[in-house]
Amino acid sequence: MRERAAAAGLDLVEPRWLILYRVWARRFYAVPLAPVPGVREVEARTIAALQELLREAEAGAGWPGAGRKVAPAP
């Protein structure tokens, strides 16, 4: 499945997050691997939307390098 492969690719380049594709929900899902105040999980319909939400969560948490651009997952 293309979405699972995209989630696995993004998981490789996002060391701060566990990235999954939830087939039953048809959504990409991310869980922070370190505490992020006010964020338990992030989910979106597309990889691009998920990456945008990850950057917002990181910026809100004040993580170093927050807002960095990451190449889109394959």
Side-chain angles (χ1 to χ4, degrees):
M1 175 177 278
R2 185 175 38 177
E3 290 84 359
R4 282 186 179 170
L10 185 59
D11 189 54
L12 291 174
V13 297
E14 291 289 351
R16 298 175 178 177
W17 299 89
L18 171 64
I19 312 290
L20 304 166
Y21 181 73
R22 299 191 318 178
V23 176
W24 63 270
R26 295 184 184 160
R27 295 179 72 82
F28 294 94
Y29 180 77
V31 178
L33 297 176
V36 178
V39 177
R40 293 172 130 190
E41 70 230 17
V42 177
E43 64 179 295
R45 290 223 175 260
T46 67
I47 283 285
L50 184 70
Q51 286 180 299
E52 190 173 314
L53 293 172
L54 297 181
R55 299 296 79 81
E56 289 175 15
E58 290 174 356
W63 284 1
R68 65 189 159 65
K69 297 291 182 189
V70 174

Short mmCIF file of all heavy atoms in Angstrom, two decimals:
data_model
loop_
_atom_site.label_atom_id
_atom_site.label_comp_id
_atom_site.label_asym_id
_atom_site.label_seq_id
_atom_site.Cartn_x
_atom_site.Cartn_y
_atom_site.Cartn_z
N MET A 1 0.84 -1.17 0.00
CA MET A 1 0.00 0.00 0.00
C MET A 1 0.89 1.24 0.00
O MET A 1 1.81 1.37 0.79
CB MET A 1 -0.92 -0.04 1.21
CG MET A 1 -1.75 1.20 1.36
SD MET A 1 -2.90 1.13 2.73
CE MET A 1 -4.21 0.22 1.97
N ARG A 2 0.60 2.15 -0.89
CA ARG A 2 1.40 3.37 -1.07
C ARG A 2 1.45 4.24 0.19
O ARG A 2 2.50 4.79 0.53
CB ARG A 2 0.80 4.14 -2.24
CG ARG A 2 1.56 5.35 -2.64
CD ARG A 2 0.99 5.98 -3.87
NE ARG A 2 -0.48 5.92 -3.85
CZ ARG A 2 -1.26 6.44 -4.76
NH1 ARG A 2 -0.75 7.07 -5.76
NH2 ARG A 2 -2.56 6.34 -4.67
N GLU A 3 0.34 4.36 0.90
CA GLU A 3 0.30 5.21 2.09
C GLU A 3 1.19 4.66 3.20
O GLU A 3 1.85 5.41 3.90
CB GLU A 3 -1.14 5.39 2.59
CG GLU A 3 -1.99 6.24 1.68
CD GLU A 3 -2.61 5.46 0.52
OE1 GLU A 3 -2.38 4.24 0.40
OE2 GLU A 3 -3.34 6.08 -0.27
N ARG A 4 1.17 3.34 3.37
CA ARG A 4 2.03 2.75 4.41
C ARG A 4 3.50 2.97 4.08
O ARG A 4 4.30 3.25 4.97
CB ARG A 4 1.75 1.26 4.53
CG ARG A 4 0.51 0.94 5.30
CD ARG A 4 0.40 -0.54 5.50
NE ARG A 4 -0.78 -0.86 6.26
CZ ARG A 4 -1.23 -2.08 6.43
NH1 ARG A 4 -0.61 -3.10 5.88
NH2 ARG A 4 -2.32 -2.30 7.13
N ALA A 5 3.85 2.85 2.81
CA ALA A 5 5.23 3.09 2.40
C ALA A 5 5.62 4.55 2.64
O ALA A 5 6.72 4.84 3.09
CB ALA A 5 5.42 2.72 0.93
N ALA A 6 4.70 5.47 2.36
CA ALA A 6 4.97 6.89 2.58
C ALA A 6 5.17 7.16 4.07
O ALA A 6 6.06 7.90 4.47
CB ALA A 6 3.84 7.74 2.03
N ALA A 7 4.33 6.54 4.91
CA ALA A 7 4.47 6.72 6.36
C ALA A 7 5.81 6.15 6.85
O ALA A 7 6.50 6.77 7.66
CB ALA A 7 3.31 6.05 7.09
N ALA A 8 6.20 4.99 6.33
CA ALA A 8 7.47 4.39 6.73
C ALA A 8 8.64 5.27 6.29
O ALA A 8 9.61 5.44 7.04
CB ALA A 8 7.60 3.00 6.11
N GLY A 9 8.55 5.85 5.10
CA GLY A 9 9.61 6.75 4.63
C GLY A 9 9.72 7.99 5.49
O GLY A 9 10.82 8.43 5.84
N LEU A 10 8.58 8.57 5.86
CA LEU A 10 8.60 9.76 6.71
C LEU A 10 9.12 9.41 8.10
O LEU A 10 9.86 10.18 8.71
CB LEU A 10 7.21 10.39 6.79
CG LEU A 10 7.12 11.69 7.55
CD1 LEU A 10 8.02 12.76 6.94
CD2 LEU A 10 5.67 12.18 7.60
N ASP A 11 8.78 8.24 8.59
CA ASP A 11 9.26 7.81 9.91
C ASP A 11 10.80 7.75 9.94
O ASP A 11 11.41 8.06 10.96
CB ASP A 11 8.68 6.44 10.26
CG ASP A 11 8.97 6.04 11.69
OD1 ASP A 11 8.65 6.83 12.61
OD2 ASP A 11 9.53 4.95 11.89
N LEU A 12 11.40 7.42 8.83
CA LEU A 12 12.87 7.36 8.76
C LEU A 12 13.53 8.72 8.86
O LEU A 12 14.65 8.84 9.35
CB LEU A 12 13.30 6.68 7.45
CG LEU A 12 13.00 5.20 7.34
CD1 LEU A 12 13.35 4.71 5.93
CD2 LEU A 12 13.73 4.40 8.40
N VAL A 13 12.85 9.77 8.41
CA VAL A 13 13.46 11.10 8.42
C VAL A 13 12.93 12.00 9.54
O VAL A 13 13.31 13.15 9.65
CB VAL A 13 13.28 11.82 7.05
CG1 VAL A 13 14.00 11.06 5.96
CG2 VAL A 13 11.82 12.04 6.72
N GLU A 14 12.06 11.47 10.36
CA GLU A 14 11.49 12.22 11.50
C GLU A 14 11.87 11.50 12.80
O GLU A 14 11.07 10.76 13.36
CB GLU A 14 9.97 12.32 11.38
CG GLU A 14 9.48 13.20 10.26
CD GLU A 14 9.72 14.67 10.51
OE1 GLU A 14 10.11 15.05 11.63
OE2 GLU A 14 9.50 15.45 9.59
N PRO A 15 13.09 11.70 13.30
CA PRO A 15 13.53 10.96 14.48
C PRO A 15 12.78 11.31 15.77
O PRO A 15 12.83 10.55 16.73
CB PRO A 15 15.01 11.32 14.60
CG PRO A 15 15.14 12.62 13.90
CD PRO A 15 14.11 12.60 12.80
N ARG A 16 12.08 12.42 15.76
CA ARG A 16 11.35 12.84 16.97
C ARG A 16 9.94 12.28 17.04
O ARG A 16 9.24 12.49 18.03
CB ARG A 16 11.27 14.36 17.02
CG ARG A 16 12.62 15.02 17.10
CD ARG A 16 12.47 16.51 17.03
NE ARG A 16 13.76 17.15 17.16
CZ ARG A 16 13.94 18.45 17.08
NH1 ARG A 16 12.92 19.25 16.86
NH2 ARG A 16 15.14 18.96 17.21
N TRP A 17 9.51 11.60 15.99
CA TRP A 17 8.13 11.15 15.86
C TRP A 17 8.06 9.69 15.44
O TRP A 17 8.88 9.22 14.67
CB TRP A 17 7.39 11.99 14.83
CG TRP A 17 7.32 13.43 15.16
CD1 TRP A 17 8.23 14.40 14.84
CD2 TRP A 17 6.29 14.09 15.89
NE1 TRP A 17 7.83 15.61 15.32
CE2 TRP A 17 6.63 15.46 15.97
CE3 TRP A 17 5.10 13.67 16.47
CZ2 TRP A 17 5.84 16.40 16.62
CZ3 TRP A 17 4.30 14.60 17.11
CH2 TRP A 17 4.66 15.94 17.18
N LEU A 18 7.01 9.00 15.89
CA LEU A 18 6.65 7.69 15.37
C LEU A 18 5.53 7.95 14.37
O LEU A 18 4.49 8.50 14.73
CB LEU A 18 6.16 6.78 16.49
CG LEU A 18 5.55 5.46 16.04
CD1 LEU A 18 6.60 4.60 15.35
CD2 LEU A 18 4.93 4.73 17.21
N ILE A 19 5.75 7.60 13.11
CA ILE A 19 4.80 7.87 12.05
C ILE A 19 4.17 6.56 11.58
O ILE A 19 4.88 5.59 11.31
CB ILE A 19 5.49 8.53 10.83
CG1 ILE A 19 6.38 9.70 11.24
CG2 ILE A 19 4.46 8.91 9.78
CD1 ILE A 19 5.67 10.92 11.73
N LEU A 20 2.86 6.56 11.48
CA LEU A 20 2.11 5.38 11.03
C LEU A 20 1.02 5.80 10.05
O LEU A 20 0.63 6.97 10.03
CB LEU A 20 1.43 4.68 12.22
CG LEU A 20 2.31 4.26 13.38
CD1 LEU A 20 1.46 3.92 14.57
CD2 LEU A 20 3.15 3.08 12.98
N TYR A 21 0.53 4.83 9.30
CA TYR A 21 -0.67 5.07 8.50
C TYR A 21 -1.75 4.15 9.05
O TYR A 21 -1.58 2.93 9.12
CB TYR A 21 -0.44 4.77 7.02
CG TYR A 21 -1.68 5.04 6.19
CD1 TYR A 21 -2.07 6.34 5.94
CD2 TYR A 21 -2.45 4.00 5.69
CE1 TYR A 21 -3.21 6.61 5.21
CE2 TYR A 21 -3.59 4.27 4.96
CZ TYR A 21 -3.98 5.58 4.72
OH TYR A 21 -5.12 5.83 4.01
N ARG A 22 -2.84 4.74 9.48
CA ARG A 22 -3.95 3.97 10.03
C ARG A 22 -4.92 3.66 8.89
O ARG A 22 -5.68 4.52 8.46
CB ARG A 22 -4.62 4.73 11.16
CG ARG A 22 -3.63 4.99 12.28
CD ARG A 22 -4.17 5.50 13.55
NE ARG A 22 -5.19 6.51 13.46
CZ ARG A 22 -5.81 7.05 14.50
NH1 ARG A 22 -5.49 6.65 15.70
NH2 ARG A 22 -6.72 7.96 14.35
N VAL A 23 -4.85 2.42 8.43
CA VAL A 23 -5.64 2.01 7.27
C VAL A 23 -7.13 2.20 7.52
O VAL A 23 -7.84 2.76 6.67
CB VAL A 23 -5.34 0.54 6.89
CG1 VAL A 23 -6.22 0.08 5.75
CG2 VAL A 23 -3.87 0.38 6.54
N TRP A 24 -7.61 1.77 8.66
CA TRP A 24 -9.05 1.84 8.93
C TRP A 24 -9.55 3.28 8.96
O TRP A 24 -10.70 3.55 8.62
CB TRP A 24 -9.39 1.13 10.23
CG TRP A 24 -8.73 1.74 11.45
CD1 TRP A 24 -7.52 1.44 11.97
CD2 TRP A 24 -9.26 2.79 12.26
NE1 TRP A 24 -7.24 2.23 13.06
CE2 TRP A 24 -8.30 3.07 13.26
CE3 TRP A 24 -10.44 3.52 12.25
CZ2 TRP A 24 -8.49 4.03 14.23
CZ3 TRP A 24 -10.62 4.49 13.23
CH2 TRP A 24 -9.66 4.73 14.21
N ALA A 25 -8.69 4.21 9.34
CA ALA A 25 -9.08 5.62 9.41
C ALA A 25 -8.69 6.38 8.15
O ALA A 25 -9.13 7.51 7.94
CB ALA A 25 -8.44 6.29 10.62
N ARG A 26 -7.82 5.76 7.32
CA ARG A 26 -7.29 6.40 6.12
C ARG A 26 -6.62 7.74 6.45
O ARG A 26 -6.86 8.75 5.81
CB ARG A 26 -8.38 6.59 5.07
CG ARG A 26 -8.92 5.30 4.54
CD ARG A 26 -9.91 5.54 3.44
NE ARG A 26 -10.47 4.26 3.03
CZ ARG A 26 -11.60 4.14 2.40
NH1 ARG A 26 -12.30 5.20 2.08
NH2 ARG A 26 -12.04 2.95 2.06
N ARG A 27 -5.79 7.70 7.50
CA ARG A 27 -5.11 8.91 7.95
C ARG A 27 -3.69 8.57 8.38
O ARG A 27 -3.42 7.50 8.89
CB ARG A 27 -5.87 9.54 9.11
CG ARG A 27 -7.26 10.03 8.67
CD ARG A 27 -8.04 10.63 9.81
NE ARG A 27 -7.55 11.93 10.24
CZ ARG A 27 -7.83 13.09 9.67
NH1 ARG A 27 -8.58 13.13 8.60
NH2 ARG A 27 -7.37 14.20 10.17
N PHE A 28 -2.80 9.56 8.19
CA PHE A 28 -1.44 9.46 8.69
C PHE A 28 -1.47 9.92 10.14
O PHE A 28 -2.20 10.85 10.49
CB PHE A 28 -0.50 10.32 7.85
CG PHE A 28 -0.37 9.81 6.44
CD1 PHE A 28 -1.17 10.32 5.43
CD2 PHE A 28 0.54 8.82 6.13
CE1 PHE A 28 -1.07 9.85 4.14
CE2 PHE A 28 0.67 8.34 4.84
CZ PHE A 28 -0.14 8.85 3.85
N TYR A 29 -0.66 9.28 10.96
CA TYR A 29 -0.73 9.48 12.40
C TYR A 29 0.69 9.59 12.94
O TYR A 29 1.56 8.82 12.53
CB TYR A 29 -1.45 8.25 12.97
CG TYR A 29 -1.65 8.21 14.45
CD1 TYR A 29 -2.65 8.96 15.06
CD2 TYR A 29 -0.88 7.37 15.25
CE1 TYR A 29 -2.87 8.89 16.42
CE2 TYR A 29 -1.09 7.30 16.61
CZ TYR A 29 -2.08 8.06 17.19
OH TYR A 29 -2.30 7.99 18.54
N ALA A 30 0.93 10.52 13.84
CA ALA A 30 2.25 10.70 14.43
C ALA A 30 2.13 10.87 15.94
O ALA A 30 1.24 11.57 16.42
CB ALA A 30 2.95 11.91 13.83
N VAL A 31 3.05 10.23 16.65
CA VAL A 31 3.12 10.34 18.10
C VAL A 31 4.52 10.85 18.44
O VAL A 31 5.51 10.29 17.96
CB VAL A 31 2.89 8.96 18.76
CG1 VAL A 31 3.01 9.06 20.26
CG2 VAL A 31 1.55 8.39 18.37
N PRO A 32 4.62 11.90 19.24
CA PRO A 32 5.96 12.40 19.60
C PRO A 32 6.69 11.41 20.49
O PRO A 32 6.09 10.78 21.37
CB PRO A 32 5.67 13.71 20.34
CG PRO A 32 4.27 13.57 20.85
CD PRO A 32 3.56 12.68 19.88
N LEU A 33 7.98 11.26 20.27
CA LEU A 33 8.79 10.35 21.07
C LEU A 33 9.36 11.04 22.30
O LEU A 33 9.99 10.40 23.13
CB LEU A 33 9.91 9.75 20.21
CG LEU A 33 9.41 8.89 19.05
CD1 LEU A 33 10.58 8.42 18.19
CD2 LEU A 33 8.59 7.71 19.56
N ALA A 34 9.16 12.34 22.41
CA ALA A 34 9.53 13.12 23.59
C ALA A 34 8.32 13.98 23.94
O ALA A 34 7.50 14.27 23.06
CB ALA A 34 10.75 13.99 23.28
N PRO A 35 8.18 14.37 25.18
CA PRO A 35 7.01 15.17 25.57
C PRO A 35 6.89 16.47 24.77
O PRO A 35 7.86 17.19 24.57
CB PRO A 35 7.25 15.47 27.05
CG PRO A 35 8.23 14.45 27.50
CD PRO A 35 9.07 14.10 26.31
N VAL A 36 5.69 16.71 24.31
CA VAL A 36 5.35 17.96 23.63
C VAL A 36 4.13 18.51 24.38
O VAL A 36 3.07 17.91 24.32
CB VAL A 36 4.99 17.74 22.14
CG1 VAL A 36 4.60 19.04 21.49
CG2 VAL A 36 6.14 17.08 21.40
N PRO A 37 4.30 19.61 25.11
CA PRO A 37 3.18 20.15 25.88
C PRO A 37 1.94 20.35 25.01
O PRO A 37 1.98 20.98 23.97
CB PRO A 37 3.70 21.50 26.40
CG PRO A 37 5.20 21.34 26.38
CD PRO A 37 5.50 20.43 25.22
N GLY A 38 0.85 19.74 25.44
CA GLY A 38 -0.42 19.90 24.75
C GLY A 38 -0.60 19.04 23.52
O GLY A 38 -1.64 19.12 22.86
N VAL A 39 0.39 18.21 23.17
CA VAL A 39 0.28 17.37 21.97
C VAL A 39 0.48 15.91 22.36
O VAL A 39 1.52 15.53 22.88
CB VAL A 39 1.34 17.76 20.91
CG1 VAL A 39 1.25 16.83 19.71
CG2 VAL A 39 1.16 19.20 20.49
N ARG A 40 -0.52 15.10 22.12
CA ARG A 40 -0.41 13.65 22.34
C ARG A 40 -0.18 12.94 21.03
O ARG A 40 0.52 11.96 20.96
CB ARG A 40 -1.68 13.11 22.98
CG ARG A 40 -1.90 13.59 24.37
CD ARG A 40 -3.25 13.15 24.82
NE ARG A 40 -3.17 12.50 26.10
CZ ARG A 40 -4.16 11.86 26.64
NH1 ARG A 40 -5.29 11.72 25.98
NH2 ARG A 40 -4.02 11.32 27.83
N GLU A 41 -0.84 13.44 19.99
CA GLU A 41 -0.73 12.85 18.66
C GLU A 41 -1.12 13.89 17.64
O GLU A 41 -1.74 14.90 17.97
CB GLU A 41 -1.63 11.62 18.53
CG GLU A 41 -3.08 11.99 18.52
CD GLU A 41 -3.93 11.20 19.49
OE1 GLU A 41 -3.42 10.58 20.40
OE2 GLU A 41 -5.14 11.23 19.30
N VAL A 42 -0.76 13.62 16.41
CA VAL A 42 -1.09 14.49 15.29
C VAL A 42 -1.56 13.58 14.18
O VAL A 42 -0.98 12.51 13.96
CB VAL A 42 0.16 15.29 14.83
CG1 VAL A 42 -0.15 16.15 13.63
CG2 VAL A 42 0.69 16.14 15.97
N GLU A 43 -2.62 13.96 13.49
CA GLU A 43 -3.05 13.15 12.36
C GLU A 43 -3.57 14.02 11.23
O GLU A 43 -4.04 15.13 11.46
CB GLU A 43 -4.05 12.09 12.77
CG GLU A 43 -5.37 12.56 13.30
CD GLU A 43 -6.27 11.39 13.64
OE1 GLU A 43 -6.66 10.64 12.73
OE2 GLU A 43 -6.56 11.22 14.83
N ALA A 44 -3.43 13.49 10.02
CA ALA A 44 -3.85 14.24 8.83
C ALA A 44 -4.12 13.27 7.69
O ALA A 44 -3.68 12.12 7.72
CB ALA A 44 -2.75 15.22 8.41
N ARG A 45 -4.81 13.75 6.69
CA ARG A 45 -5.15 12.90 5.53
C ARG A 45 -3.99 12.73 4.56
O ARG A 45 -3.94 11.76 3.83
CB ARG A 45 -6.34 13.47 4.79
CG ARG A 45 -7.62 13.35 5.56
CD ARG A 45 -8.75 12.89 4.65
NE ARG A 45 -9.95 12.67 5.42
CZ ARG A 45 -10.35 11.47 5.80
NH1 ARG A 45 -9.67 10.41 5.49
NH2 ARG A 45 -11.46 11.35 6.49
N THR A 46 -3.05 13.70 4.54
CA THR A 46 -1.92 13.61 3.61
C THR A 46 -0.61 13.75 4.36
O THR A 46 -0.56 14.31 5.46
CB THR A 46 -1.99 14.73 2.55
OG1 THR A 46 -1.78 15.98 3.19
CG2 THR A 46 -3.32 14.73 1.79
N ILE A 47 0.45 13.25 3.73
CA ILE A 47 1.80 13.37 4.31
C ILE A 47 2.18 14.85 4.44
O ILE A 47 2.73 15.26 5.46
CB ILE A 47 2.82 12.63 3.43
CG1 ILE A 47 2.73 11.12 3.67
CG2 ILE A 47 4.24 13.10 3.68
CD1 ILE A 47 3.32 10.64 4.96
N ALA A 48 1.88 15.64 3.42
CA ALA A 48 2.24 17.06 3.46
C ALA A 48 1.55 17.76 4.63
O ALA A 48 2.16 18.55 5.35
CB ALA A 48 1.89 17.73 2.14
N ALA A 49 0.28 17.47 4.82
CA ALA A 49 -0.46 18.08 5.92
C ALA A 49 0.09 17.62 7.27
O ALA A 49 0.20 18.41 8.21
CB ALA A 49 -1.94 17.76 5.81
N LEU A 50 0.48 16.35 7.36
CA LEU A 50 1.05 15.83 8.59
C LEU A 50 2.37 16.52 8.90
O LEU A 50 2.61 16.96 10.03
CB LEU A 50 1.26 14.31 8.51
CG LEU A 50 1.77 13.68 9.80
CD1 LEU A 50 0.69 13.70 10.87
CD2 LEU A 50 2.23 12.26 9.54
N GLN A 51 3.22 16.68 7.89
CA GLN A 51 4.50 17.36 8.11
C GLN A 51 4.29 18.79 8.59
O GLN A 51 5.01 19.27 9.46
CB GLN A 51 5.33 17.35 6.83
CG GLN A 51 5.93 15.99 6.52
CD GLN A 51 6.74 16.00 5.26
OE1 GLN A 51 6.22 16.28 4.19
NE2 GLN A 51 8.01 15.71 5.38
N GLU A 52 3.33 19.46 8.05
CA GLU A 52 3.04 20.83 8.48
C GLU A 52 2.62 20.85 9.95
O GLU A 52 3.07 21.69 10.72
CB GLU A 52 1.94 21.41 7.59
CG GLU A 52 1.73 22.88 7.77
CD GLU A 52 0.76 23.43 6.74
OE1 GLU A 52 0.89 23.12 5.55
OE2 GLU A 52 -0.14 24.18 7.17
N LEU A 53 1.78 19.90 10.34
CA LEU A 53 1.35 19.82 11.74
C LEU A 53 2.51 19.45 12.67
O LEU A 53 2.58 19.95 13.79
CB LEU A 53 0.21 18.82 11.87
CG LEU A 53 -1.10 19.22 11.20
CD1 LEU A 53 -2.09 18.06 11.24
CD2 LEU A 53 -1.68 20.45 11.87
N LEU A 54 3.42 18.61 12.19
CA LEU A 54 4.59 18.27 13.00
C LEU A 54 5.44 19.52 13.27
O LEU A 54 5.89 19.75 14.39
CB LEU A 54 5.44 17.21 12.31
CG LEU A 54 4.81 15.84 12.09
CD1 LEU A 54 5.80 14.90 11.41
CD2 LEU A 54 4.28 15.25 13.37
N ARG A 55 5.66 20.31 12.22
CA ARG A 55 6.47 21.53 12.39
C ARG A 55 5.77 22.49 13.36
O ARG A 55 6.42 23.11 14.20
CB ARG A 55 6.67 22.24 11.05
CG ARG A 55 7.41 21.45 9.96
CD ARG A 55 8.86 21.11 10.26
NE ARG A 55 9.04 19.98 11.15
CZ ARG A 55 8.99 18.68 10.80
NH1 ARG A 55 8.77 18.33 9.57
NH2 ARG A 55 9.18 17.74 11.70
N GLU A 56 4.46 22.61 13.27
CA GLU A 56 3.72 23.50 14.18
C GLU A 56 3.85 23.01 15.62
O GLU A 56 4.07 23.81 16.54
CB GLU A 56 2.26 23.56 13.78
CG GLU A 56 1.99 24.33 12.51
CD GLU A 56 0.54 24.28 12.08
OE1 GLU A 56 -0.33 23.88 12.90
OE2 GLU A 56 0.27 24.61 10.92
N ALA A 57 3.71 21.70 15.84
CA ALA A 57 3.82 21.14 17.18
C ALA A 57 5.23 21.35 17.74
O ALA A 57 5.39 21.72 18.91
CB ALA A 57 3.47 19.65 17.16
N GLU A 58 6.23 21.14 16.91
CA GLU A 58 7.62 21.34 17.34
C GLU A 58 7.88 22.80 17.70
O GLU A 58 8.53 23.10 18.70
CB GLU A 58 8.59 20.88 16.26
CG GLU A 58 8.61 19.38 16.08
CD GLU A 58 9.46 18.93 14.90
OE1 GLU A 58 9.99 19.79 14.16
OE2 GLU A 58 9.62 17.72 14.72
N ALA A 59 7.39 23.70 16.87
CA ALA A 59 7.58 25.13 17.14
C ALA A 59 6.89 25.52 18.44
O ALA A 59 7.45 26.27 19.25
CB ALA A 59 7.07 25.96 15.97
N GLY A 60 5.69 25.00 18.66
CA GLY A 60 4.95 25.30 19.88
C GLY A 60 5.63 24.76 21.12
O GLY A 60 5.50 25.32 22.20
N ALA A 61 6.38 23.67 20.95
CA ALA A 61 7.10 23.07 22.08
C ALA A 61 8.46 23.71 22.29
O ALA A 61 9.13 23.43 23.28
CB ALA A 61 7.26 21.57 21.84
N GLY A 62 8.89 24.54 21.33
CA GLY A 62 10.19 25.18 21.44
C GLY A 62 11.35 24.23 21.20
O GLY A 62 12.45 24.45 21.69
N TRP A 63 11.11 23.15 20.45
CA TRP A 63 12.18 22.20 20.15
C TRP A 63 13.25 22.86 19.30
O TRP A 63 12.94 23.62 18.39
CB TRP A 63 11.64 21.00 19.41
CG TRP A 63 10.90 20.02 20.27
CD1 TRP A 63 10.66 20.11 21.61
CD2 TRP A 63 10.30 18.81 19.84
NE1 TRP A 63 9.95 19.03 22.03
CE2 TRP A 63 9.71 18.21 20.96
CE3 TRP A 63 10.19 18.17 18.62
CZ2 TRP A 63 9.04 17.01 20.90
CZ3 TRP A 63 9.51 16.97 18.56
CH2 TRP A 63 8.95 16.39 19.69
N PRO A 64 14.52 22.56 19.54
CA PRO A 64 15.59 23.08 18.68
C PRO A 64 15.37 22.61 17.24
O PRO A 64 14.99 21.47 17.00
CB PRO A 64 16.86 22.45 19.25
CG PRO A 64 16.50 22.03 20.63
CD PRO A 64 15.03 21.73 20.62
N GLY A 65 15.58 23.51 16.29
CA GLY A 65 15.39 23.16 14.88
C GLY A 65 13.94 23.14 14.45
O GLY A 65 13.63 22.71 13.35
N ALA A 66 13.04 23.59 15.32
CA ALA A 66 11.62 23.60 14.97
C ALA A 66 11.40 24.44 13.73
O ALA A 66 12.05 25.45 13.52
CB ALA A 66 10.79 24.14 16.14
N GLY A 67 10.50 23.99 12.90
CA GLY A 67 10.19 24.71 11.67
C GLY A 67 11.09 24.31 10.52
O GLY A 67 10.95 24.80 9.42
N ARG A 68 12.03 23.38 10.77
CA ARG A 68 12.93 22.95 9.70
C ARG A 68 12.15 22.27 8.59
O ARG A 68 11.12 21.68 8.82
CB ARG A 68 13.98 21.98 10.26
CG ARG A 68 13.39 20.68 10.76
CD ARG A 68 14.40 19.85 11.51
NE ARG A 68 13.79 18.88 12.38
CZ ARG A 68 13.05 17.84 12.02
NH1 ARG A 68 12.80 17.63 10.76
NH2 ARG A 68 12.56 17.01 12.90
N LYS A 69 12.66 22.40 7.43
CA LYS A 69 12.02 21.75 6.28
C LYS A 69 12.62 20.37 6.10
O LYS A 69 13.82 20.19 6.16
CB LYS A 69 12.25 22.56 4.99
CG LYS A 69 11.63 23.94 5.04
CD LYS A 69 10.13 23.84 5.02
CE LYS A 69 9.53 25.23 5.00
NZ LYS A 69 8.12 25.25 5.19
N VAL A 70 11.76 19.40 5.91
CA VAL A 70 12.18 18.02 5.68
C VAL A 70 11.66 17.63 4.31
O VAL A 70 10.53 17.95 3.94
CB VAL A 70 11.59 17.08 6.76
CG1 VAL A 70 11.90 15.63 6.44
CG2 VAL A 70 12.12 17.46 8.12
N ALA A 71 12.49 16.94 3.57
CA ALA A 71 12.07 16.51 2.22
C ALA A 71 10.83 15.63 2.34
O ALA A 71 10.72 14.85 3.28
CB ALA A 71 13.19 15.73 1.56
N PRO A 72 9.90 15.76 1.43
CA PRO A 72 8.70 14.92 1.47
C PRO A 72 9.06 13.45 1.39
O PRO A 72 10.04 13.07 0.73
CB PRO A 72 7.91 15.35 0.23
CG PRO A 72 8.53 16.62 -0.22
CD PRO A 72 9.92 16.67 0.31
N ALA A 73 8.29 12.65 2.07
CA ALA A 73 8.52 11.20 2.01
C ALA A 73 8.20 10.69 0.62
O ALA A 73 7.36 11.27 -0.07
CB ALA A 73 7.63 10.52 3.04
N PRO A 74 8.87 9.62 0.21
CA PRO A 74 8.60 9.08 -1.13
C PRO A 74 7.19 8.57 -1.27
O PRO A 74 6.54 8.24 -0.38
CB PRO A 74 9.60 7.94 -1.26
CG PRO A 74 10.18 7.72 0.09
CD PRO A 74 9.84 8.87 0.94
#
